[in-house]
Amino acid sequence: MTLQTPLDVAHDGAIARLTLNRPDMRNAFDEALIAALTSAVKQAAQDPRVRVLLLTGAGKAFCAGGDLNWMRKMATHTDADNRADASRLADMLHTIWACPKPVVACVNGDAYAGGMGLLSACDIAIAADTAHFCLSETRLGLLPATISPYVIRAMGERAANRYFLTAERFDAATALRLGLLHDVVPAERLHDEANAICRTLCANGPDAVQASKRLVRDFAGQPINAALIADTVERIAACRSTDEAREGVAAFLEKREPSWRQAS
C-alpha cells in the first residue's frame, strides 16, 4: 500500500504547485506537514526553473490549523519540546514569507487558525467565495502567537484586535474587505484565476519581481526620510544596468516578447 504524502509537489513549467495533502484532516498541520512544506519552499526558492509558488489544499478545506491530536500530544511534552515544536511552525511561516519568489495562496476552502497564518504569509491570496475564516485559538484557551506577525500585517491591527479576541467565523467577502484577501471568485473558477495570476507573474522580469518583493518587505512601515530615498535611488540605478532591464526595454521598443517570457 502506498502511503499518502502530507504535501504534494508538482511542477507546471515555471510554477511550483504545493498542495497540502491531508484532506481527511482538513489539511491540519502536524510535524510531517510542517517539515515537508518548509523543505519544499526552500527547494523551490533555490530551483532556477521555478518563478512562482502556488499553495493550495486538497479536498474541501485550505487548512484547519493545528491537528488537534498533534496538539494534544504536545501538551504532554516538556517545555523545551513545545518551544522546539513552536519554532518549527514559526520557521515554516517565515520561510514562506521570506521566500525570494512570489507565493500565491489559492484558498480553496476554510482557513482556520494556523491556516490563516499560512495564507497571510503568502504574497497574494485569492479565495473561493465559499471559504470561511476564523482565528479560533481563544476558543481552545490558546493564542495565535506564531501566526500573529503575518496576520496583523495582512488584515491590520484594528481587525486583528477584534478577531484574535472573539474567534468569530467570517466569510470570504469580509476577508476581502479586511484586506486579508486580494480577490474572491466563484469556487468553480478559483484554480483558473489562480493560474492566471501565476502566468502574469511569470510574464514579468524574474529578477525585477524578486527585487520588487524585497522593496515591500524592506520599505513597508518605514519613514520616508533621506536614508530611504537614497536607498530607492541606489536600487533603481543598479536595476537599470542589469541585463534583464536592458532586454526588457529593448523588447518593448522592438515590439517583441522579452527572452524570459519566451523561456517560460
Side-chain angles (χ1 to χ4, degrees):
M1 183 177 68
T2 302
L3 293 177
Q4 178 177 289
T5 58
L7 181 74
D8 181 64
V9 180
H11 290 85
D12 178 9
I15 304 170
R17 300 182 183 277
L18 311 180
T19 303
L20 308 182
N21 194 31
R22 304 186 73 215
D24 293 344
M25 301 299 296
R26 294 175 59 79
N27 298 317
F29 294 130
D30 64 0
E31 308 98 315
L33 179 53
I34 290 170
L37 185 53
T38 304
S39 176
V41 173
K42 288 180 177 178
Q43 289 180 31
Q46 297 299 318
D47 189 338
R49 300 171 299 170
V50 174
R51 300 269 296 279
V52 58
L53 290 70
L54 179 63
L55 179 62
T56 192
K60 296 181 179 180
F62 175 68
C63 177
D67 184 323
L68 291 179
N69 291 320
W70 165 60
M71 293 169 65
R72 183 183 295 115
K73 181 178 68 175
M74 291 308 303
T76 65
H77 286 193
T78 66
D79 180 68
D81 288 337
N82 270 292
R83 288 176 184 272
D85 184 74
S87 293
R88 286 188 286 270
L89 176 59
D91 180 56
M92 181 196 73
L93 294 169
H94 188 262
T95 296
I96 295 168
W97 183 82
C99 179
K101 300 171 183 179
V103 185
V104 177
C106 177
V107 185
N108 57 298
D110 292 351
Y112 282 17
M116 290 273 285
L118 190 59
L119 74 90
S120 297
C122 295
D123 300 291
I124 299 171
I126 178 172
D129 57 1
T130 53
H132 286 83
F133 304 83
C134 185
L135 290 151
S136 55
E137 286 85 351
T138 55
R139 290 184 186 174
L140 304 176
L142 301 170
L143 74 163
T146 51
I147 68 172
S148 61
Y150 311 99
V151 177
I152 292 170
R153 280 175 169 81
M155 72 190 318
E157 179 182 353
R158 190 65 171 167
N161 224 23
R162 172 176 177 172
Y163 292 104
F164 277 23
L165 275 59
T166 65
E168 294 168 278
R169 184 173 180 259
F170 54 94
D171 61 15
T174 301
L176 180 65
R177 176 175 58 81
L178 295 174
L180 183 68
L181 301 173
H182 292 92
D183 204 0
V184 173
V185 299
E188 64 272 16
R189 285 178 39 212
L190 176 65
H191 288 283
D192 288 342
E193 293 292 333
N195 288 333
I197 290 173
C198 291
R199 289 193 296 271
T200 296
L201 290 165
C202 290
N204 299 332
D207 293 339
V209 167
Q210 293 188 38
S212 294
K213 178 170 178 173
R214 287 195 299 273
L215 276 180
V216 178
R217 295 289 185 267
D218 293 347
F219 291 169
Q222 298 300 311
I224 302 176
N225 54 26
L228 185 140
I229 292 170
D231 193 351
T232 66
V233 170
E234 289 297 322
R235 294 190 194 211
I236 188 57
C239 177
R240 286 173 179 169
S241 64
T242 63
D243 291 340
E244 182 175 288
R246 292 192 187 98
E247 167 64 9
V249 173
F252 178 79
L253 294 174
E254 295 165 14
K255 296 181 172 57
R256 61 172 174 82
E257 296 287 350
S259 58
W260 63 77
R261 200 170 300 166
Q262 295 165 0
S264 64

